[in-house]
Amino acid sequence: MNIQPLVGALGAEILDIDLSVPLAPDTLAAVRGALFGYQVIVFREQRLSLEQHKNFARQFGPLHVHPYIMAKPLDGHPEVLRVVKEKEDRRVFGEKWHSDVTFLERPVLGSVLYAIETPKQGGDTLFANMYMAYDTLSDGMKALLEPLVGVHETPVPEVDPATGLPFEPLRLVNARGEHPVVSVHPETGRKLLYVNSTYTTHFKGMTVEESQPLLDYLFRHATQAEFTCRVRWAPGTVTFWDNRSTQHLPINDYYGERREMHRVTVET
Ligand code: OGA
Ligand code: MN
């Protein structure tokens, strides 16, 4: 397998591999190793049906169904989340730095995002390395953060943003997760900083106002340029990220063009 690191902080491209067929055991092990080693792995020029996309992801764990986005247009494939920006849309899905669904008690292992349609230029995605975010803190700050627990919440909208349809109330439970601010990655055993500006609202046992200054510092610290890589997309690009050790940010720098991605997410 030909692995080309993207930049200093994280990310690699994996060349010469076809994701549409089951991976041989040693190839699968190498891809897993690259996922947890590089945290973000990028594949080019893939052609995946919905089933092939899901089957690729299933080799890494059970598939996750997003708790409140139903992606109605892909009926029969509830595990495939469509991430779409229409020509006339001004906003994108996932507007601020985040890890996915950290408002759940058990956040997910990672997501496999497959580009269907992309703008001529723009619409890249930034990723940031949360091991580096932790490692570069001072010993004093590390000690201060060690006992803290972050509360991650999301205001669940009344209608599905993807379809405009009202939610079944059943899907709305469990929109609050509590996670140690310094978390240990279950695969690598490494410590990482686990707060993000989209979902972490405060520290457990403290108010939102009390938490805000330190959280704001951590959000800025965690997403500085030196800790990031930038993935450029074309139709057929597949990016698989380790959702526990990274955050990501879609860049909303294109207008009047359509972008469509399919996301399949793997549970822990
Ligand atoms: C996501 C997401 C980023 C992008 O699918 O979780 O945040 O660039 N997408 O579309
Ligand atoms: Mn996201």
Side-chain angles (χ1 to χ4, degrees):
M1 217 165 62
N2 183 350
I3 303 182
Q4 302 289 333
L6 285 179
V7 294
L10 79 169
E13 287 201 18
I14 301 185
L15 311 173
D16 310 325
I17 184 170
D18 177 2
L19 307 185
S20 70
V21 292
L23 302 181
D26 56 332
T27 309
L28 180 59
V31 172
R32 264 186 82 86
L35 174 67
F36 294 121
Y38 289 99
Q39 304 165 260
V40 176
I41 49 178
V42 182
F43 308 89
R44 303 292 183 186
E45 295 175 11
Q46 302 294 321
R47 278 181 67 91
L48 301 177
S49 66
L50 295 168
E51 271 320 318
Q52 288 168 334
H53 186 178
K54 292 197 286 189
N55 286 339
F56 169 70
R58 266 194 200 108
Q59 298 173 100
F60 299 85
L63 301 187
H64 173 84
V65 178
H66 194 281
Y68 65 83
I69 297 178
M70 288 188 274
K72 185 75 171 173
L74 292 179
D75 253 355
H77 298 277
E79 314 92 338
V80 182
L81 177 65
R82 281 173 84 225
V83 176
V84 183
K85 187 184 177 204
E86 299 291 353
K87 275 191 175 120
E88 56 280 6
D89 289 347
R90 302 295 293 177
R91 300 178 63 177
V92 287
F93 179 71
E95 294 190 300
K96 292 196 294 177
W97 279 103
H98 64 280
S99 307
D100 293 330
V101 295
T102 62
F103 50 82
L104 297 179
E105 271 312 320
R106 201 158 58 91
V108 296
L109 178 151
S111 283
V112 180
L113 193 63
Y114 174 46
I116 306 293
E117 186 177 349
T118 56
K120 278 192 291 297
Q121 59 267 316
D124 296 356
T125 308
L126 291 181
F127 292 88
N129 180 339
M130 292 305 107
Y131 296 128
M132 286 180 91
Y134 175 76
D135 291 341
T136 52
L137 294 168
S138 66
D139 290 344
M141 182 57 86
K142 286 177 182 163
L144 188 150
L145 295 179
E146 189 69 37
L148 296 183
V149 170
V151 179
H152 298 239
E153 298 171 292
T154 188
V156 175
E158 283 173 12
V159 296
D160 183 343
T163 62
L165 299 172
F167 287 118
E168 309 158 41
L170 252 186
R171 299 176 71 98
L172 305 188
V173 295
N174 196 14
R176 177 187 162 104
E178 296 184 357
H179 310 293
V181 170
V182 179
S183 289
V184 176
H185 195 290
E187 294 285 336
T188 63
R190 291 181 65 191
K191 286 186 174 178
L192 57 93
L193 184 64
Y194 203 70
V195 292
N196 70 76
S197 60
T198 297
Y199 298 124
T200 315
T201 52
H202 61 286
F203 300 113
K204 193 175 181 183
M206 292 171 60
T207 66
V208 169
E209 290 73 18
E210 289 166 344
S211 308
Q212 205 63 60
L214 180 52
L215 280 175
D216 282 343
Y217 166 73
L218 294 174
F219 298 154
R220 272 201 316 282
H221 167 77
T223 56
Q224 59 190 274
E226 289 78 2
F227 303 165
T228 69
C229 70
R230 181 166 180 145
V231 172
R232 175 131 206 238
W233 301 91
T237 302
V238 173
T239 298
F240 192 176
W241 64 84
D242 173 356
N243 193 58
R244 295 172 296 199
S245 72
T246 64
Q247 295 194 35
H248 54 275
L249 176 74
I251 301 188
N252 192 11
D253 62 349
Y254 57 101
Y255 300 97
E257 284 185 276
R258 191 171 184 280
R259 181 176 184 268
E260 173 170 356
M261 324 289 267
H262 289 175
R263 182 178 115 188
V264 175
T265 298
V266 180
E267 288 188 344
T268 54

